[in-house]
Amino acid sequence: MPLNPATGAASGYISTQQYYTYSGIDANGVPTGLTQMSPPVSANNSFGTQPDPRTVTAANIKAENQDEFILGFSKTLGSGYVYGAKVMQRKLNTAIDDFCDVARVTDKAAAEGYDIASTNSCYLINPGRANTFNLIDTGGNVVPVTLSNKELGFQNLKRKYYSFETFIEHTFDGTWYGKLDYTFSRSYGNTEGQVRSDLLQGGASASEDIAPFSGGEKARLALALIVWQRPNLLLLDEPTNHLDLETREALTMALAQFEGTLVVQLLSQLKSQATLLVVSHDLTEVAPLVDCAWRMQIGGTCEPA
């Protein structure tokens, strides 16, 4: 399975930091009087040196796989309609993920009496089961060290998905066409399993540095993280900046369903389950979301909009 983390685990990429003290800041905001206080450091030993290929994955790693069951039908209804239904179930049996808590492995190796010289910074493993890690001892020999799922600190692997979909469709008769769909689905468990990314990467379980993202891409990512965290308080400072028209409309619709009120009305509407505070230059986008709005004027005055 093509895993983007595999290229990072097996390649000699460079990702280092170096730290300095400084005595001042010039007019452009650039630190001056730099004094080096550390050599180059890297949290993942990413100094451009390719690791030993024997230490990239767990020795007994298995391919990711899942079972999928689909049952459905479609049938004509008279001369102008087609209807149908489909049920689907997926169960993840084996997953692949990267594991970077190498101290657990070296501690186990030390407890077994091995003198370890080198490891990889991260390993690709099968979460939810025992994994055997290859380490290199001081003599240059490969040392296999096995950790149980409990020793790795994981729960039993679980990811399940099921869905029910039904539809009725009026075929085009020269005058009109229509289709009505309904889908109910649920995905639950403790692992993502194989992840497909829309970040223009071909591999599964893709990861991406957000530094080159555009302003709109970073805004959409930030909003997605907010939704994932399910907060009861939203502070949105000009949330539509950098967003295209379609994304602005989607954001407006999503915030309209958020169970909240403006902060200024919180005391009189304590029954609300959340608070929504929006700062925007576009009153037309704010109007569908709030019970009242206030306009800030130059000079610090504030009046109802």
Side-chain angles (χ1 to χ4, degrees), residues 210-274:
I210 69 169
F213 280 17
S214 68
E217 289 172 329
K218 290 180 179 178
R220 288 194 292 271
L221 176 60
L223 291 170
L225 291 173
I226 290 173
V227 171
W228 177 75
Q229 293 171 350
R230 297 180 180 273
N232 60 3
L233 172 64
L234 290 181
L235 300 177
L236 304 178
D237 185 358
E238 302 183 20
T240 58
N241 280 3
H242 307 294
L243 299 183
D244 55 36
L245 181 60
E246 182 178 356
T247 306
R248 288 187 178 197
E249 293 177 351
L251 175 62
T252 301
M253 294 176 62
L255 292 179
Q257 300 176 25
F258 184 77
E259 297 177 344
T261 62
L262 281 173
V263 170
V264 294
Q265 291 190 338
L266 182 60
L267 295 178
S268 61
Q269 298 192 25
L270 292 178
K271 63 181 180 180
S272 174
Q273 298 180 7

Side-chain angles (χ1 to χ4, degrees), residues 5 55 66 86 97 122 177 304:
T55 65
Q66 69 177 9
K86 179 177 70 174
D97 209 335
C122 294
Y177 166 86

Side-chain angles (χ1 to χ4, degrees), residues 85-106:
K86 179 177 70 174
V87 293
M88 176 187 298
Q89 182 184 35
R90 295 187 184 127
K91 179 183 178 183
L92 182 67
N93 299 318
T94 305
I96 296 178
D97 209 335
D98 50 347
F99 177 78
C100 300
D101 191 1
V102 181
R104 289 178 182 257
V105 184
T106 55

Side-chain angles (χ1 to χ4, degrees), residues 105-116:
V105 184
T106 55
D107 288 347
K108 178 69 176 291
E112 295 180 354
Y114 295 116
D115 190 3
I116 301 303

